[in-house]
Every structure is written in C-alpha cells, then in structure tokens.
Amino acid sequence: MFDTLSLSALPPEDEALRPALRALIAEAIADLPVHRRARSWQGFDAAFSRKLGQAGYLGLSLPKEYGGVGRGPFTRFVVVEELLSAGAPVAGHWIADRQSGPLIRHYGTEEQRQFYLPRISRGEALFCIGMSEPGSGSDLASVRSRADRQADGGWLLNGQKIWTTNAMHSDYMIALVRTSGTGADRQSGLSQLIVDLKLPGITIRPIIDLTGDAHFAEVFFDNVRLAPDALIGEEGQGWKQVTAELAFERSGPERIYSSVVLIDAWVRHLDAVGRKDSATLRLVGSLTAQLAVLREMSLAVTARLVAGESPVVEASLMKDLGTGFEQAVPQLIGDDLASHPDEAVDAELYRTLLYVTHIAPSFSLRGGTREILRGIIARGLGLR
Amino acid sequence: MDMHELIDPFARLIEDVCTPAAIRAIEAGGDAAPMWQAFTDSGFLDALVAEEAGGAGLSLADAAPLIALLGYHAVPLPVGDSMIARALLAAAGMDVPDGPIAIATGHGPVPFAGVAGHILAGSSEAPVLTVAGGEPTGVHHDIDAYVSGVDGRALRPIAAILRALLMSGATERVMEMTVAYANERTQFGKPIGKQQAVQQQLSVLAEQAVAARIAAAIGARSGLSPRPADAAIAKHGASLAAAQVAAIAHAVHGAIGISEEYDLQLLTRRLHGWRLADGSESYWAGVLGDLRLADSTQSTADFIRAA
C-alpha cells in the first residue's frame, strides 16, 4: 500500500537555482527579526513578491506562453523550500502561485489564461480563495453563498465567506459558490467564480487572531454583479475542481517547514549557551531526523505530481504527518527551554517560541483538518 | 534492471519455505537447516557480494526490497544479516562460512543469534568472525540471544539500516493484516473499519508505515559503508514507527492479536526486538543531534539536505 511513494531526487537544474534565489531572499529578510521570519507564509510583502516574480521565481509550472517559467513541481519544491526554510514573507503571491495559477491554467478559458497568468507570474495579481463559510468549514458541500445567472449571462453574487486568507490584500478571490440547486444537493450545483475584489457590493473585514495578526478576513457579497467570464471551469463542477486543487495545497514542503525558523533559532541558542547534554542532543536529533524523513516524503509526493498523477491520498498522509510534526516542535522546544530556568533565553527567541506556539493549531486546520485527512487516508486503505 | 525479475522469485521462495508453521517450528527450537538450505540454494545470500567475488553485485538500495520482504514475512533466520556479512567478508578477502551469520553491535540481545552459526563483529574494513555461542534471552520463543566477548560497535550503522529495512517490511505487513481484519471483523452490526475512531487509528498506522519505509530507504541509499547521519535517520524513523504500528495493530485486533495462534504476534514481537537492537530511536537521535550541533550556523534544512 502507498508503495508509489519512494525516494526521489531533485534534478540538478533545479538544485542549481538555490544560490541566486538565496541571495535574493537574504536581502529581503536581512532586517526581519526572527519572530517575523517565523510567520513566513503568513508574512505579507507585496514588493518582495513582485521581486520574486520579476526574477522568474513565480509561475514556475505555468507555460511560457502565459508568462510562466515552464518548469514543474520539482522547481517549485526548491523555490518553496528556500523561501520557507529561511522564513521569507511569501503570503503576497502564495495562493496565486500555488493554487490559483494552476487552477486557471487547468480549467480556465484561453481568455482567462491570457488575462490572469502573466500577471500571476509577475507577482502582480494577488489571489485569495473563498472556500470556508460560517457553518461550512471542512464540509464545503454545505456552502450557501449563491450566484444566480442573469439575463446577460453574468452572475449576481450574494453571501459570505470567512477565514479567507489575505482577502484584504488580494486583487481577486476564487470563490466556491452555489449556482444551482439547494444545500440538500450537496456537491452538485457548486461552481468556482473569479471575483474582482474591487467590485461594488463587496465588504472585507479583517479578523484579528490571537497573535495580533490579521491574515484572515470575512468577505461579504451584497448583490455583486459579475461578468459572464467570471465562471472558471464548468458550472456545477466546482466540487471536483476544488478537490483537485486541494491536492496542490496538501503536498509541498509547506507542510513541514512551518516551525523550522524556531528550530534554527533554538539550535543557535543551544550553541550560544554551550548546552550539549544527552537529553538536548536527543531532542535536536529527533526533530532533525523526523524532518529529514518528512522532506523525503514530501519530495516523493512531488514526484507523483511530476508524473502527472493527482496523489490525493498520499498528499493527505504527508500533510497529516507533517503538520503533526510542525505542531510538536513548539511544544517540545518550549519544554526544553523552560526546563532550564537558570539559562538566559533572549526575548527574541521567546517571542518566536510563543508566536509559533500560539499559531500552531492552524497548521493542521489550513487545507483540510486532521480528521478529514484521516478520512481520506482511510478511504485510500479501502475502509470506506 | 527490472526489479520484479529480482523480487518476484525471492518472494516466491519465502512464501514456499517460510510459512507461519515453519516460523513457529524454528521459534520453538526446531531444525532451521532446511529453511536455511533453501536460501543458500537460491543464491540470494550473495546478492550484495561484488560480481568479481562471485556475487550479484547489487547495491544496498537495490537489495532493500529483498531485505524488507524478509521482515514482511518474519523470516526467523538472519538472511539479511548474512547478505551483509558475506559482502563485507568477501570484500575483506576472508573466507565465508555456509551457515547463518548474525551481526553483533553491542551488549544487548543480538537479533537471530540464537539461530546463527557465526557472529560477525569488528568493522566493515576488518570484519571479525566467531563461531556462535549465544546465551538465550529467556524471552518466550525468542530467536535472539546474548553474545559476549565481541566488539562490533563499528558495524552499528550498517546493522541499524538493516534493522530499519526489516522493520519497514514488517510494518507494511502489519498494516495490511490490520486493515484486512478491520474490514472483516463485525461489531455492533458492521465491520469495525466503518467506525471513524478505528479509521483514524488506521490512518495513523499507515502514516507510520510509510514513514518507516522512507526512513529505511534513506539509510539504504547510503550503501554498505553508510554515513552515521543516514543510519541515524533510518533507525530513528523505523524504531519510532515500529512501536506505534505494533500498538495500533494490537488495539484494532483486540484480544485475538495477542493470541499465540494468530500470526500478528509473529511480526509485532520482531518489531519490538528490532526496535531495541543496534540502538533505539533515542540512541540514534543522540548521534544525529551531536552531528547537527557540530555547526549551529548551518540551517536545519541545509543539514538534512546534505544528510
């Protein structure tokens, strides 16, 4: 079972990207304190995202004819690994580059591709994804936002989205909404629409989280008029499209590196205080060993994407294991530091630790909760 | 090379000679010679021996699926140990005995020493072979045994990777058995595998089984003279998984799982023994932590990429 997952190696031409990219990242994060770097994929810096786009590090898997780089998931693996392991602020381009671009390429019309993809590749069209609603988190089939077809072929959109990452900074939302039937029809009758967030009738309210950040938002649609070409893909096929999209979201190195800035800061602390007792070595080694295995698993899932497959079950398996690790890190490092009360811990490391500790519950929520993922794995095992 | 041409005959051989009844007979002290002869006749014992020395010249990564199969079937003889021992002995220009060889790397029980003819210690470059004379552990039906008077510390990395590969095969089998059982066993009017609580447990089991396989593969990629970091990642990952996989499998099976007549225990007893052999997860975590802290300016991502 799952024997399609096996060790893979990054192509040399992708490995070769690291030095130049690293220089660009070093410049961007030079003045960022560690607790800001620890935010990484919540860190919003539109200027940095544009810089990455100009340098050819976005739209990696998009074809050149649409302004992309024309490479593939392995290239993206290297770029994402460099960005996240350094703690670069990636939130600006993150969703457009990771999900919206591939979605538009796959399901969009030729006009949509030509309109959106070059701008995504330049880091100039920022996207958010409208999936969750009040009362509809992992149970996406129950979404109630509704778009009704108008006489001119356009759409009239009403409803509300919530937990929408970076909606207030984005240019567009790809929203999953009901275009026919009722909630009783579940998956059928859902469609994906591209919504220009500057249209009249849209209100966006940031949601401040427990760390003081606002990376989520509530988005209200009040009789928003959309043009006929707002529909992406087929009407009524939104569920199928979303499921495929989530496979992109669940696989990459983003599911293992959320706590790595904290690990590195802690390792530097251990060196500074000269602590090398056996309990310390074991904790350092255990976290390192687990991360090494997770990285190979993530690479193995990426190799399935390269092979043109949609490894939904494998990606779920990897994500559940990876986010479990990411969440264990702040707990274990917190215990380690606080079990040495006579050792001075600088305030920056403490701020980083507490930031990661407080935000860690989100690691296993974004992109499908642990329980939902385990259900997908169980189906893969033939239990459902 | 098509790996199936290699794996399929080996799988058939094991299924023929290593039935659950045959395993139980050897564990009960029966004659292991016929089963060993079948492995000898197959030629697979020299899979890792260089071609110029008369072997098949496979790399450890190539042979990894074969070793995992030994774990998958709970083969009660040191076939994998002997494959590695024979390669090291041949490379050192030493005579290779016909019988089963176990590898001793510390003072704890040595896997398969109770059914081995010889014990390998020393190092990869200078292997030392002694005639086996193991002390029983006293654990019920244990084929492992204590070995005294040898020093095989230098062989610990390669032995750890071997053990990780065996565990990866065993966890795979335990996963398959447990999923099959959950689909068959009915309680409250439906298979227990239909219960979400059971499904969630089995998903964790599957995650750990895959993690064990990937960890072992990292070790196998490092070859017969592995780097300590690769051995550490392999054995840490597989040992961590082994304990969890065994625990979940038994929880899902209920009481039947710990029955002597049910085959699950043939595998989970191996998993526990192999987890403890050649350094547990904490031992190898300590080794890796020491290597990692040697340069604290290096990022963790860079360290694991180099590992």
Side-chain angles (χ1 to χ4, degrees):
Chain A
M1 277 183 245
F2 307 117
D3 48 8
T4 56
L5 286 185
S6 56
L7 292 196
S8 183
L10 288 163
E13 64 267 26
D14 292 324
E15 290 283 4
L17 292 170
R18 292 189 196 272
L21 175 59
R22 218 167 253 218
L24 190 69
I25 293 169
E27 190 192 353
I29 63 172
D31 297 326
L32 284 185
V34 180
H35 76 276
R36 301 300 316 175
R37 283 187 222 169
R39 280 158 164 85
S40 203
W41 67 327
Q42 274 107 13
F44 182 88
D45 183 344
F48 175 62
S49 292
R50 278 195 302 275
K51 221 178 260 184
L52 283 175
Q54 281 154 13
Y57 296 113
L58 301 184
L60 296 165
S61 57
L62 298 177
K64 287 181 178 163
E65 59 195 289
Y66 300 120
V69 179
R71 292 172 78 158
F74 279 141
T75 309
R76 189 180 170 278
F77 188 99
V78 167
V79 172
V80 168
E81 178 167 65
E82 287 295 327
L83 288 166
L84 295 184
S85 62
V90 300
H93 64 270
W94 189 247
I95 288 166
D97 184 60
R98 176 167 73 156
Q99 284 161 271
S100 310
L103 181 84
I104 291 169
R105 180 201 172 185
H106 199 74
Y107 294 107
T109 62
E110 190 55 32
E111 290 72 23
Q112 287 171 331
R113 291 176 187 166
Q114 288 182 6
F115 181 73
Y116 293 106
L117 298 184
R119 289 194 292 149
I120 287 175
S121 300
R122 290 196 301 267
E124 291 168 5
L126 309 188
F127 276 71
C128 61
I129 293 176
M131 288 198 193
S132 296
E133 296 188 2
S136 171
S138 286
D139 181 16
L140 288 172
S142 69
V143 299
R144 281 184 293 193
S145 288
R146 190 168 185 99
D148 291 308
R149 184 82 89 164
Q150 304 298 290
D152 65 353
W155 306 86
L156 188 67
L157 174 61
N158 279 288
Q160 180 190 353
K161 291 291 175 182
I162 195 168
W163 312 123
T164 310
T165 302
N166 280 321
M168 58 287 196
H169 298 306
S170 299
D171 303 302
Y172 302 98
M173 171 192 284
I174 295 184
L176 181 69
V177 302
R178 183 159 291 286
T179 47
S180 67
T182 68
D185 297 316
R186 303 291 295 164
Q187 286 98 330
S188 60
L190 297 174
S191 303
Q192 286 185 292
L193 297 174
I194 306 181
V195 182
D196 182 336
L197 292 171
K198 287 172 196 73
L199 288 172
I202 298 177
T203 308
I204 302 175
R205 273 192 216 144
I207 300 170
I208 297 177
D209 71 29
L210 76 175
T211 73
D213 291 353
H215 63 276
F216 291 131
E218 280 181 290
V219 183
F220 301 88
F221 306 110
D222 180 15
N223 287 320
V224 179
R225 295 195 162 272
L226 304 175
D229 66 359
L231 178 71
I232 173 126
E234 271 183 74
E235 187 188 347
Q237 293 300 305
W239 177 263
K240 204 184 103 204
Q241 295 171 201
V242 161
T243 310
E245 188 183 351
L246 283 168
F248 299 121
E249 186 181 349
R250 282 173 186 155
S251 49
E254 49 264 45
R255 297 307 181 176
I256 62 177
Y257 284 131
S258 300
S259 299
V260 80
V261 169
L262 171 62
I263 296 178
D264 286 344
W266 171 64
V267 165
R268 288 193 298 274
H269 164 85
L270 295 175
D271 186 55
V273 299
R275 177 146 61 84
K276 283 188 92 170
D277 60 280
S278 67
T280 301
L281 294 182
R282 283 173 183 178
L283 185 54
V284 172
S286 170
L287 296 180
T288 308
Q290 289 178 68
L291 194 58
V293 172
L294 288 167
R295 179 176 184 270
E296 288 295 347
M297 287 178 74
S298 176
L299 198 51
V301 176
T302 302
R304 304 327 307 162
L305 290 172
V306 171
E309 298 167 19
S310 184
V312 176
V313 178
E314 290 82 356
S316 302
L317 191 141
M318 203 258 120
K319 179 187 178 250
D320 190 36
L321 208 54
T323 56
F325 168 79
E326 292 179 331
Q327 290 175 327
V329 166
Q331 186 194 336
L332 294 166
I333 291 181
D335 181 43
D336 173 80
L337 290 173
S339 66
H340 295 84
D342 298 317
E343 190 177 279
V345 174
D346 76 37
E348 185 51 34
L349 175 54
Y350 188 74
R351 267 196 293 278
T352 305
L353 168 65
L354 270 292
Y355 169 75
V356 178
T357 303
H358 292 161
I359 202 68
S362 73
F363 298 166
S364 62
L365 300 180
R366 53 192 187 192
T369 65
R370 168 160 298 142
E371 290 69 23
I372 292 289
L373 295 179
R374 290 183 180 171
I376 293 170
I377 299 165
R379 185 169 288 120
L381 287 169
L383 293 165
R384 321 175 48 171
Chain B
M1 173 178 41
D2 180 3
M3 288 307 288
H4 287 288
E5 288 175 21
L6 193 64
I7 296 169
D8 292 349
F10 195 62
R12 280 195 298 275
L13 164 71
I14 299 177
E15 281 161 31
D16 281 350
V17 303
C18 187
T19 60
I23 297 171
R24 285 183 172 84
I26 290 176
E27 285 190 344
D31 183 11
M35 189 188 290
W36 182 255
Q37 193 59 46
F39 280 105
T40 304
D41 294 345
S42 75
F44 276 102
L45 293 178
D46 287 331
L48 293 168
V49 172
E51 284 181 79
E52 54 271 29
L58 295 187
S59 71
L60 186 59
D62 287 336
L66 303 177
I67 298 174
L69 267 179
L70 298 166
Y72 183 93
H73 288 283
V75 173
L77 291 169
V79 177
D81 297 61
S82 299
M83 285 164 71
I84 287 170
R86 293 170 76 93
L88 297 179
L89 290 167
M94 295 168 65
D95 287 339
V96 180
D98 287 336
I101 306 170
I103 302 175
T105 69
H107 290 286
V110 174
F112 307 109
V115 289
H118 286 83
I119 302 295
L120 188 81
S123 66
S124 295
E125 301 72 31
V128 176
L129 201 61
T130 53
V131 175
E135 286 292 312
T137 63
V139 174
H140 182 65
H141 281 185
D142 200 2
I143 50 177
D144 302 349
Y146 291 102
V147 173
S148 56
V150 299
D151 180 359
R153 267 175 295 182
L155 293 174
R156 207 170 284 160
I158 185 62
I161 292 169
L162 162 66
R163 232 52 74 194
L165 288 167
L166 290 170
M167 283 191 276
S168 74
T171 52
E172 173 81 17
R173 177 81 183 285
V174 167
M175 171 169 71
E176 290 176 8
M177 287 180 78
T178 309
V179 168
Y181 183 81
N183 273 327
E184 286 161 13
R185 172 71 170 164
T186 305
Q187 291 277 272
F188 306 108
K190 59 180 183 180
I192 59 170
K194 296 289 173 205
Q195 295 179 28
Q196 279 196 7
V198 174
Q199 291 177 357
Q200 300 266 319
Q201 294 244 63
L202 288 170
S203 299
V204 174
L205 192 164
E207 290 169 9
Q208 291 299 322
V210 174
R213 185 159 53 76
I214 295 289
I218 290 172
R221 188 163 64 181
S222 196
L224 280 176
S225 301
R227 297 166 341 122
D230 293 328
I233 292 165
K235 186 61 161 65
H236 175 274
S239 292
L240 207 57
Q244 293 180 66
V245 164
I248 294 171
H250 279 286
V252 170
H253 272 88
I256 189 68
I258 58 166
S259 146
E260 202 272 343
E261 69 173 28
Y262 193 80
D263 291 345
L264 179 67
Q265 53 90 16
L266 298 176
L267 292 141
T268 56
R269 284 189 295 116
R270 295 281 188 289
L271 282 175
H272 290 302
W274 291 335
R275 173 186 165 230
L276 303 180
D278 308 306
S280 69
E281 59 269 29
S282 281
Y283 170 82
W284 284 107
V287 170
L288 191 68
D290 201 26
L291 292 166
R292 168 74 185 93
L293 285 186
D295 177 7
S296 70
T297 61
Q298 180 177 221
S299 76
T300 303
D302 282 342
F303 179 85
I304 60 174
R305 260 203 305 277

